[in-house]
């Protein structure tokens, strides 16, 4: 089919009435974190015509992290952006087409599948959803400025950077308690700040946290301000019952108040759970034949770069097999 270069198209143009303007792929991958890039390395290397639609931030969450110390193969660590650029280059080496654009709509009801972006329409025999998840933010003004400068959304990723410091974890769910437990290996102290006086976390994790002498709970409280000169040095918390504000000196603030899977564009197209995570069966298959999912968009348990990359590899192998079987 004829391909009209993306640059020659205008936002809002309607290509749906002229199929000759639509470029067709064996595989379209939506999302460019470790899952999407890894999948594309495998599918392109297997000679499947592959398009990645990267979203507005190619590389995903790791583009906003500093050093990654636990991705195998880098004994001295690697910066998140460098790791993602390496993955991108490795994928391009095998011929993946990359488009930096946002997907606005999908149609999985008919074959070939249709993917609409802000400037184009593409069709595909198979689609991989690897749009990831976004950590929920506290939503207070200084949060953005201190992100990566004392504020972290992943204890496994960043905990070791806070050795012998006073650490605060916000949240009352499984993640907050699991992360707080983990962080006691590094921090001088770990305080969990929860907005209620009742934890949402499972009983076993509650017991473990209550038994840990390094963990202290501060109930009915929220973080209302963050202070520091370039790096975080203290936070102001407010008791929701009394209104009293208290200053805490902290070196690290871990926000563990849940994640939002980036799945709004797939609503009514594939099965999701009540939180919006894509439901997969047999590891990477969605309820639509030919549509697959990998990474944090379905995996709320592990959420690591290496596990996302692993899921991406699995999805690519499943896609390859699925396409081969259809051709027989
Ligand atoms: P979660 O269960 O949704 O808990 C989020 C916590 O953050 C809640 O305590 C919530 O308070 C609090 N919160 C939400 N928004 C807030 C805000 N704006 N300000 C302050 N606090 C806020 O999320 P999660 O802990 O990440 O867990 C997600 C899923 O993964 C769960 O199903 C969990 O069971 C699972 N998980 C399992 C394991 C494990 O099995 N080992 C480990 C990690 C996660 P409220 O309680 O007041 O709503």
């Amino acid at each position: 089919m004829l391909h009209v270069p993306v640059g020659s198209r205008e936002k809002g143009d309607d290509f749906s009435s002229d199929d000759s303007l639509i470029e067709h792929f064996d595989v379209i991958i939506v999302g460019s974190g470790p899952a999407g890039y890894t999948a594309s390395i495998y599918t392109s290397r297997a000679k499947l015509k592959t398009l990645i639609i990267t979203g507005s931030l190619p590389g995903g969450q790791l583009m906003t992290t500093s050093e990654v110390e636990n991705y195998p193969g880098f004994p001295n660590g690697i910066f998140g952006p460098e790791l993602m650029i390496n993955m991108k280059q490795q994928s391009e080496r095998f011929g993946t087409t990359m488009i930096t654009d946002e997907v606005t709509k999908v149609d999985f009801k008919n074959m070939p599948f249709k993917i609409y972006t802000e400037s184009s329409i593409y069709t595909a025999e198979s689609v991989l959803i690897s749009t990831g998840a976004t950590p929920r933010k506290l939503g207070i003004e200084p949060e953005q400025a201190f992100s990566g400068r004392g504020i972290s959304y992943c204890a496994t990723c960043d905990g070791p950077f806070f050795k012998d410091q006073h650490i605060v974890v916000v949240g009352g769910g499984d993640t907050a308690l699991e992360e707080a437990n983990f962080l006691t290996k590094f921090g001088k102290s770990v305080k969990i700040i929860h907005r209620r006086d009742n934890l949402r976390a499972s009983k076993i994790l509650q017991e473990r946290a209550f038994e840990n002498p390094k963990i202290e709970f501060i109930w009915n409280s929220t973080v209302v301000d963050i202070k520091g000169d370039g790096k975080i040095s203290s936070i102001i918390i407010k008791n929701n019952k009394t209104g009293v504000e208290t200053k805490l000196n902290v070196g690290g603030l871990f926000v563990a108040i849940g994640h939002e899977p980036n799945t709004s564009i797939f609503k009514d197209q594939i099965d999701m759970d009540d939180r919006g995570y894509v439901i997969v069966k047999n590891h990477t298959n969605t309820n639509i034949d030919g549509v697959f999912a990998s990474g944090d968009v379905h995996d709320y348990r592990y959420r690591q770069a290496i596990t996302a990359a692993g899921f991406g590899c699995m999805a690519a192998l499943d896609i390859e097999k699925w396409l081969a079987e259809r051709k027989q």
Side-chain angles (χ1 to χ4, degrees):
M1 286 181 184
L2 182 71
H3 172 53
V4 175
V6 174
S8 68
R9 300 172 186 180
E10 295 295 326
K11 252 185 199 179
D13 275 358
D14 180 15
F15 299 98
S16 53
S17 54
D18 186 353
D19 275 1
S20 69
L21 295 177
I22 298 175
E23 186 165 13
H24 186 71
F25 290 85
D26 295 319
V27 190
I28 293 182
I29 297 170
V30 186
S32 58
Y37 279 151
T38 303
S40 69
I41 291 166
Y42 275 76
T43 55
S44 289
R45 193 165 174 268
K47 303 281 178 229
L48 296 173
K49 188 180 176 194
T50 302
L51 169 70
I52 293 193
I53 304 173
T54 64
S56 55
L57 178 66
Q61 280 187 65
L62 278 180
M63 296 304 279
T64 56
T65 53
S66 50
E67 200 175 351
V68 180
E69 288 183 322
N70 54 3
Y71 199 92
F74 301 95
N76 300 317
I78 182 165
F79 283 94
E82 194 185 346
L83 179 62
M84 298 321 295
I85 287 164
N86 286 351
M87 286 192 198
K88 179 173 185 280
Q89 287 172 348
Q90 194 172 352
S91 176
E92 282 170 336
R93 177 183 153 204
F94 295 112
T96 304
T97 305
M98 309 244 176
I99 305 282
T100 303
D101 208 347
E102 290 284 348
V103 171
T104 52
K105 197 169 83 169
V106 298
D107 179 2
F108 295 157
K109 306 254 192 263
N110 303 294
M111 288 287 272
F113 302 122
K114 269 191 175 153
I115 306 277
Y116 300 74
T117 70
E118 289 191 339
S119 53
S120 299
I121 301 173
Y122 304 93
T123 55
E125 299 302 306
S126 63
V127 172
L128 173 61
I129 298 170
S130 52
T131 42
T134 306
R136 250 184 234 137
K137 306 283 188 296
L138 292 172
I140 54 176
E141 209 252 313
E143 186 174 11
Q144 174 74 22
F146 287 105
S147 181
R149 294 187 165 83
I151 296 190
S152 168
Y153 300 88
C154 174
T156 319
C157 317
D158 299 329
F161 299 121
F162 294 89
K163 211 166 177 304
D164 294 329
Q165 300 199 34
H166 294 294
I167 293 174
V168 161
V169 177
V170 183
D174 282 337
T175 303
L177 268 57
E178 212 168 60
E179 298 210 335
N181 257 316
F182 175 72
L183 288 164
T184 57
K185 289 184 189 174
F186 312 102
K188 197 180 272 179
S189 69
V190 176
K191 292 185 173 65
I192 296 177
I193 295 180
H194 184 36
R195 63 183 176 183
R196 296 186 293 133
D197 60 1
N198 226 315
L199 293 168
R200 181 179 293 277
S202 57
K203 282 280 168 282
I204 180 130
L205 288 176
Q206 292 196 27
E207 278 168 19
R208 215 169 280 165
F210 289 139
E211 281 166 12
N212 191 323
K214 259 184 155 180
I215 294 180
E216 182 191 330
F217 283 87
I218 300 180
W219 303 105
N220 299 311
S221 298
T222 43
V223 180
V224 290
D225 204 359
I226 303 163
K227 311 261 186 214
D229 187 10
K231 267 184 75 185
I232 192 167
S233 59
S234 64
I235 59 172
I236 309 294
I237 59 168
K238 182 176 176 179
N239 185 302
N240 306 325
K241 299 243 156 149
T242 62
V244 172
E245 294 194 355
T246 312
K247 181 180 163 195
L248 294 177
N249 291 328
V250 299
L253 174 63
F254 285 80
V255 180
I257 59 175
H259 284 71
E260 304 283 354
N262 302 320
T263 50
S264 55
I265 46 172
F266 306 110
K267 203 165 171 277
D268 301 327
Q269 294 283 330
I270 48 161
D271 285 352
M272 299 177 197
D273 68 16
D274 53 6
R275 291 163 301 168
Y277 284 94
V278 176
I279 296 172
V280 291
K281 49 186 175 143
N282 298 328
H283 308 299
T284 68
N285 295 263
T286 70
N287 62 310
I288 306 286
D289 263 0
V291 178
F292 300 78
S294 66
D296 293 11
V297 77
H298 73 80
D299 165 39
Y300 48 80
R301 186 179 167 88
Y302 299 105
R303 290 197 300 252
Q304 299 300 299
I306 185 67
T307 51
F311 278 121
C313 164
M314 285 151 68
L317 297 176
D318 288 343
I319 288 169
E320 231 183 287
K321 189 161 174 282
W322 187 81
L323 289 172
E325 282 170 358
R326 277 184 71 227
K327 280 187 185 146
Q328 282 170 6

